[in-house]
Amino acid sequence: MANSPHGGVLKNLVARDEPISDQLREESLSLPYLTLTERQLCDLELITNGGFSPLEGFLNEADYKNVVDNLRLSNGVLFPIPVTLDVSRGDIDRLSIAAGSRVTLLDPRDEEALAIITVEDIYTPDRVKEAIQVFGADDPAHPSVAYLRNRVKDFYVGGKLQAIKAPTHFDYVALRYTPTELRAHFKKLAWRKVVAFQTRNPMHRAHRELTVRAARQRQANVLIHPVVGLTKPGDVDHYTRVRVYEAIMQKYPNGMGQLALLPLAMRMAGPREAVWHAIIRKNYGATHFIVGRDHAGPGKNSQGKDFYGPYDAQDLVIKYHDELQIEMVPFQQMTYLPSTDDYQPIDEVPKGVQTLDISGTELRKRLRSGAPIPDWFSYDAVVKVLRESYPPRNKQGFVLFLTGLHNSGKDAIAKALQVTLHQQGGRSVSLLLGETVRQELSSEIGFSADDRHENTHRIAFVSAELSRAGAAVIAAPTSPQDRSRQLARDTIQQSGGSGGNFFLIHVATPLEYCEKTDRHGLYSQARRGEIKGFAGVDEPYETPEDADLTVDVTQQSISEIVHSIVLLLETNSLL
């Protein structure tokens, strides 16, 4: 018997509004429209299919503040993560958004109308407080804090949704169950107890043994429920992961397991995220949920320490057990015993018995280098899929992102690098100079801070596409804002191929030298007010604190700088 939905009622807005969907679609044509971001699209899908029950829309200000402060909606129902619709001042003015107005929400992939929001309020969030309360610190080393700082717009719009249609997917359609469909599937199979397993990584033998053991101990079935929305930058892409999951499902006892995909945009919020994941799996009908060690943790903070304690997530789920009404299954770390050729929980292994393990870092190293991956760790079918998607490092694309003041020498360095990398061979080499890209891609935008940010965004998008195809990309915009450079890093790590190889190079040539040697007189024009928004004159250049390499043409020759960049690539096994 499937678990009861969180809040008692599954809020399937697509089914609820299906009788008036044609009417809503017709109305949507006459309304102002907002094109969703990728995260907002994931959130909307889970609001409208019931995965985020009891939500029926994006949080209004009262709900938002209560979730941030107390992990509860304003009506007292447990809900730990703020699900918000962020908009800019320009969006508000362009769409005349106000309380009571109705706005069409469009799918960013095909501009299909998905829903109409009736605006309840527009409010300005305290993003620093949101970062501290939800993620534990206002630390940009946390991917969601970086997202808050660099990509979330200044205002949130709260309001209920009416669903026109569910987003259309063209990949793995048979595996994309809504909560209603998965509940019906469990009922058809007479599954009374279901252990859900959350993952955003490929699965191997230890994961199979862990989930089979958890199911057998509880006389239950297994739901492998991986995230295929936004995950942590640098994660294995979902196409590769789903092929891995399909391969490993063949290794489960017949009839024990079910694979279903979850279109969730993860926040990597550790303890709060674990509670959120439990609520979502409860809405999908699971009765048990495996919570791992450092569940949904993002890794290290700016001081090199883990953001969350190893068992903080389990402790918070236990704290809210009575309200969650889903049984937590603590993740047991499994280790391989060569003497018996099987896996056992590490805390059950007698002292002195030999065990073997391969860390995630070691696995990635072996994938990059082509080194063997033993049968005891994974399955041949899984390794085959991973090797297809993870070419050796010297075949992966990468992006060298040069940032610096106008006339700092970054263009000369970029051109010399292109020649040197052409000489190396093995990859196509693309050069994206700031002014060239502006003429070709961004000729319609100006030089305001927002325009420069948009120009950098476009450069990052093109760079990611080229890198994913295996190219070496040299981009050299001024990019004076830290938020723009962070956006570029995130974009390339998220979408730039299996390695997500991004290197920020700060060309730190002093302003005085850049201005003194400016043959085109642009600094002089900026000083006279003839050019506005000129970095170093009337717009500050924010010095990068996270550069992978800092160079200066007053201290090094172009040849020396190029050589230092080549050494950086060689150190990272990319040449």
Side-chain angles (χ1 to χ4, degrees):
M1 181 177 177
N3 207 347
S4 298
H6 192 55
V9 178
L10 189 70
K11 302 291 187 175
N12 186 342
L13 307 190
V14 174
R16 182 198 69 186
D17 298 333
E18 197 278 333
I20 60 169
S21 61
D22 289 341
Q23 175 185 330
L24 292 171
R25 185 176 290 103
E26 185 69 24
E27 181 190 0
S28 73
L29 297 173
S30 62
L31 294 175
Y33 63 85
L34 187 69
T35 301
L36 299 170
T37 64
E38 191 176 356
R39 176 190 278 192
Q40 292 166 352
L41 176 66
C42 292
D43 288 348
L44 179 136
E45 181 166 4
L46 285 166
I47 293 169
T48 56
N49 73 13
F52 283 170
S53 294
L55 300 193
E56 294 183 55
F58 291 98
L59 298 188
N60 60 28
E61 185 171 19
D63 284 329
Y64 165 77
K65 288 183 174 179
N66 220 41
V67 166
V68 169
D69 290 337
N70 306 310
L71 291 81
R72 297 182 183 279
L73 302 172
S74 56
N75 63 6
V77 173
L78 181 68
F79 204 89
I81 298 291
V83 178
T84 54
L85 180 64
D86 59 294
V87 299
S88 67
R89 168 55 66 187
D91 294 328
I92 294 170
D93 294 341
R94 175 175 58 85
L95 305 177
S96 300
I97 300 176
S101 61
R102 286 167 66 77
V103 178
T104 301
L105 303 179
L106 301 184
D107 190 321
R109 303 166 301 169
D110 55 15
E111 296 193 331
E112 282 285 316
L114 300 178
I116 296 174
I117 184 171
T118 301
V119 177
E120 293 179 24
D121 55 12
I122 305 166
Y123 55 100
T124 304
D126 184 339
R127 287 185 284 181
V128 172
K129 181 179 181 182
E130 181 178 337
I132 293 171
Q133 293 287 88
V134 177
F135 306 114
D138 183 29
D139 185 341
H142 193 297
S144 285
V145 174
Y147 189 98
L148 261 179
R149 288 187 177 194
N150 303 320
R151 304 185 74 166
V152 170
K153 298 171 186 172
D154 291 336
F155 301 91
Y156 290 173
V157 170
K160 298 273 198 303
L161 298 178
Q162 288 178 290
I164 298 172
K165 58 171 288 190
T168 301
H169 294 284
F170 298 99
D171 60 327
Y172 309 112
V173 176
L175 299 175
R176 291 182 179 272
Y177 292 83
T178 67
T180 300
E181 291 167 345
L182 201 54
R183 287 167 165 274
H185 187 66
F186 294 159
K187 183 176 181 180
K188 182 177 181 179
L189 297 177
W191 286 13
R192 295 184 62 82
K193 290 191 286 185
V194 179
V195 178
F197 180 64
Q198 147 82 28
T199 182
R200 45 170 255 271
N201 293 310
M203 292 176 65
H204 302 286
R205 278 193 60 182
H207 302 102
R208 186 263 186 199
E209 300 302 325
L210 160 72
T211 50
V212 167
R213 184 184 181 91
R216 284 176 172 164
Q217 286 176 345
R218 291 155 183 83
Q219 296 184 326
N221 291 88
V222 175
L223 170 64
I224 304 300
H225 208 204
V227 171
V228 294
L230 288 178
T231 59
K232 184 181 175 182
D235 281 352
V236 177
D237 68 275
H238 82 272
Y239 300 105
T240 300
R241 289 190 289 110
V242 174
R243 291 194 292 272
V244 165
Y245 304 139
E246 288 178 319
I248 209 164
M249 291 307 296
Q250 305 304 314
K251 306 299 181 181
Y252 279 83
N254 189 33
M256 174 179 278
Q258 174 66 49
L259 172 63
L261 308 183
L262 180 66
L264 176 69
M266 289 185 67
R267 271 56 165 187
M268 306 303 297
R272 283 193 183 226
E273 183 115 1
V275 174
W276 196 37
H277 288 174
I279 289 170
I280 293 166
R281 274 37 184 243
K282 176 183 175 184
N283 287 330
Y284 273 85
T287 56
H288 296 71
F289 179 55
I290 297 172
V291 178
R293 186 181 183 276
D294 193 24
H295 187 101
K300 304 294 184 182
N301 63 18
S302 295
Q303 285 72 50
K305 299 179 180 179
D306 290 337
F307 271 95
Y308 312 114
Y311 303 107
D312 289 355
Q314 293 180 3
D315 290 344
L316 198 65
V317 173
I318 291 170
K319 176 180 177 180
Y320 293 111
H321 171 266
D322 292 343
E323 292 178 79
L324 286 170
Q325 291 296 299
I326 185 170
E327 292 295 322
M328 185 189 79
V329 179
F331 184 100
Q332 294 178 292
Q333 184 177 347
M334 307 294 286
T335 189
Y336 178 70
L337 279 63
S339 59
T340 55
D341 188 29
D342 69 349
Y343 277 82
Q344 292 290 335
I346 196 166
D347 57 0
E348 296 180 15
V349 177
K351 187 176 181 180
V353 173
Q354 181 190 13
T355 63
L356 295 175
D357 294 287
I358 292 179
S359 68
T361 300
E362 174 64 17
L363 173 64
R364 288 189 291 272
K365 180 180 177 182
R366 291 180 182 228
L367 286 170
R368 288 196 301 266
S369 65
I373 297 170
D375 292 342
W376 61 260
F377 176 77
S378 196
Y379 300 102
D380 288 343
V382 169
V383 175
K384 180 176 182 291
V385 169
L386 291 173
R387 289 207 187 278
E388 288 170 351
S389 296
Y390 269 79
R393 290 283 282 173
N394 63 358
K395 299 297 182 184
Q396 293 177 14
F398 58 82
V399 178
L400 297 168
F401 194 94
L402 280 64
T403 174
L405 293 168
H406 170 70
N407 200 40
S408 61
K410 59 183 172 56
D411 286 9
I413 296 167
K415 292 173 183 176
L417 263 174
Q418 183 184 35
V419 172
T420 301
L421 293 178
H422 273 313
Q423 175 183 301
Q424 294 271 356
R427 292 182 182 85
S428 65
V429 183
S430 296
L431 180 61
L432 303 176
L433 297 179
E435 292 309 311
T436 303
V437 171
R438 179 173 284 280
Q439 292 170 15
E440 300 297 333
L441 284 182
S442 305
S443 59
E444 85 286 3
I445 65 175
F447 291 86
S448 69
D450 286 343
D451 288 339
R452 285 184 179 275
H453 183 69
E454 175 59 26
N455 188 48
T456 300
H457 186 198
R458 295 181 187 185
I459 291 171
F461 171 78
V462 173
S463 298
E465 293 295 306
L466 292 167
S467 174
R468 189 165 67 244
V473 184
I474 307 162
T478 301
S479 195
Q481 301 171 74
D482 181 67
R483 66 177 180 126
S484 302
R485 299 188 295 259
Q486 291 295 335
L487 176 59
R489 185 186 291 275
D490 291 346
T491 299
I492 289 151
Q493 289 181 341
Q494 184 80 32
S495 308
S498 55
N501 300 305
F502 176 91
F503 301 94
L504 181 65
I505 299 165
H506 178 208
V507 184
T509 306
L511 173 62
E512 296 76 14
Y513 182 87
C514 298
E515 191 165 356
K516 179 181 177 181
T517 58
D518 177 20
R519 295 182 182 277
H520 298 287
L522 296 184
Y523 282 99
S524 296
Q525 294 177 52
R527 298 274 182 208
R528 294 194 300 267
E530 297 169 10
I531 300 176
K532 301 295 185 183
F534 199 86
V537 179
D538 61 340
E539 179 184 352
Y541 179 88
E542 299 173 5
T543 302
E545 296 181 358
D546 57 347
D548 297 286
L549 184 66
T550 300
V551 298
D552 178 350
V553 299
T554 66
Q555 303 298 320
Q556 303 156 277
S557 68
I558 297 294
S559 296
E560 289 172 332
I561 291 171
V562 168
H563 184 63
S564 66
I565 295 172
V566 169
L567 288 177
L568 175 66
L569 295 172
E570 289 179 343
T571 301
N572 284 274
S573 305
L574 286 162
L575 293 179

